[in-house]
Amino acid sequence: SYIGEDGGEKGWPKRFPFCGGAFQSPIDFHSDVLQYDSTLSPIELQGYNVSSGEQFVLTNNGHSVKMSLLPSMLIRSLPSQYTAAQLHFHWGNRNKQEGSEHTVGGKHFAAELHIVHYNSDRYPDLQAAMDKSDGLAVLAVLLEIGSFNPSYDKIFHHIQNVKYKDQETFIPGFNVQALLPDQLDEYFRYEGSLTTPPCFPSVLWTVFRKPVQVSEEQLLALETALFCTQPDDPSPLEMVNNFRKIQEFDERLVSVSFR
Ligand code: SG4
Ligand code: ZN
């Protein structure tokens, strides 16, 4: 949980020691920690344009809303090949739409998309990779309020069908790359962790510099429709503010692909 008697995220390390350990995410990107790296090449994807004959599964897992991805979807531009497993979101609430996990110069964005991949050169699946230091690569997109985004609506349109924990629905294939900003060459890169328990320090993070716009109505659909609880629960718990606080970033640097 992000709130509650157990201290919310402050209580995570008791049951999940890695959450109190090193290389934790998310972090703030401010000028003191940024270092230009000319070797960071544009992110290259393969198989992201999925035909409408294929299907994704959208699930309310009680912490977020996640969509399964296909094993044919790959990141090609990293030293190992990484295969897509799922994508999910983090967001705030209707009064304070500051729900991104990563921040830039201390500033929160409205929400954040994470596309989780595992190192398929070395591991058979996400489960086997998630506790390995070279196991995961997450692509992150910062979301800000602006114009209506038809690509994001291909997911948000189905949120009504997964209002409660453990509900699932199918989404026809679409071009998942259209969820990313146009500039795949400008990003922040660092080694960090899963932002939820068990907080394994296994993630190579790529956070795109340019945010993507979604409309306020679209964001509200995410913020108001979902519950952490099952339909028969007498005290429904809204799924809001499912972002982790900024973590300490001592003696680490963030590589940036842009000047
Ligand atoms: C969310 O809770 C996802 O629903 C989880 O996905 C995900 O765990 C977790 O966030 C941490 O991922 O990119 N924010 S993050 O660091 O991908 C994993 C599932 O539970 C292992 C499948
Ligand atoms: Zn995430």
Side-chain angles (χ1 to χ4, degrees):
S1 176
Y2 294 91
I3 49 161
E5 306 100 63
D6 57 354
E9 42 187 307
K10 277 207 246 63
W12 292 358
K14 265 180 265 146
R15 271 178 62 204
F16 307 99
F18 283 109
C19 299
F23 292 101
Q24 291 299 291
S25 295
I27 58 167
D28 178 47
F29 303 127
H30 55 276
S31 50
D32 296 351
V33 298
L34 304 183
Q35 179 172 256
Y36 173 66
D37 181 347
S38 63
T39 68
L40 293 176
S41 59
I43 299 299
E44 285 172 38
L45 304 168
Q46 181 181 314
Y48 259 57
N49 194 356
V50 176
S51 94
S52 57
E54 307 266 12
Q55 281 184 327
F56 302 123
V57 184
L58 189 72
T59 311
N60 177 335
N61 67 5
H63 311 288
S64 180
V65 58
K66 69 163 181 170
M67 187 179 91
S68 63
L69 296 172
L70 303 182
S72 48
M73 299 172 61
L74 309 172
I75 308 178
R76 297 310 305 271
S77 48
L78 294 172
S80 294
Q81 175 175 285
Y82 286 82
T83 298
Q86 49 97 354
L87 63 73
H88 62 267
F89 297 90
H90 301 267
W91 61 88
N93 66 59
R94 75 203 78 179
N95 303 316
K96 200 162 190 288
Q97 294 176 325
E98 297 181 351
S100 71
E101 297 215 292
H102 291 93
T103 56
V104 180
K107 177 186 178 291
H108 272 280
F109 286 77
E112 190 167 327
L113 164 69
H114 289 159
I115 311 182
V116 180
H117 303 70
Y118 67 93
N119 183 338
S120 47
D121 280 345
R122 301 205 52 183
Y123 308 108
D125 52 32
L126 178 69
Q127 202 59 34
M130 66 189 258
D131 62 345
K132 310 299 190 301
S133 64
D134 61 352
L136 305 183
V138 179
L139 302 181
V141 180
L142 300 164
L143 302 185
E144 65 179 15
I145 295 174
S147 47
F148 176 83
N149 189 315
S151 296
Y152 277 81
D153 226 54
K154 290 179 177 163
I155 303 172
F156 294 165
H157 183 73
H158 298 271
I159 278 184
Q160 288 299 329
N161 300 326
V162 295
K163 286 173 79 81
Y164 296 96
K165 186 173 187 294
D166 300 329
Q167 288 183 332
E168 288 188 350
T169 194
F170 291 102
I171 299 185
F174 64 93
N175 185 3
V176 177
Q177 187 162 340
L179 302 173
L180 305 182
D182 294 333
Q183 293 96 327
L184 298 185
D185 55 337
E186 296 192 358
Y187 55 85
F188 303 95
R189 162 67 52 74
Y190 76 102
E191 288 181 29
S193 74
L194 294 175
T195 66
T196 65
C199 307
F200 293 132
S202 56
V203 180
L204 186 63
W205 281 95
T206 301
V207 181
F208 292 106
R209 180 195 198 183
K210 290 275 150 59
V212 166
Q213 294 191 349
V214 299
S215 70
E216 183 162 24
E217 289 70 28
Q218 287 184 295
L219 199 61
L220 281 169
L222 197 57
E223 291 169 351
T224 57
L226 295 160
F227 294 91
C228 308
T229 43
Q230 282 164 340
D232 53 2
D233 196 296
S235 47
L237 193 57
E238 283 187 303
M239 195 182 290
V240 290
N241 301 317
N242 58 356
F243 61 94
R244 189 186 192 188
K245 287 190 182 60
I246 290 300
Q247 303 295 300
E248 275 182 43
F249 196 66
D250 291 339
E251 292 161 44
R252 279 192 283 169
L253 284 176
V254 175
S255 300
V256 287
S257 66
F258 54 89
R259 284 185 194 276

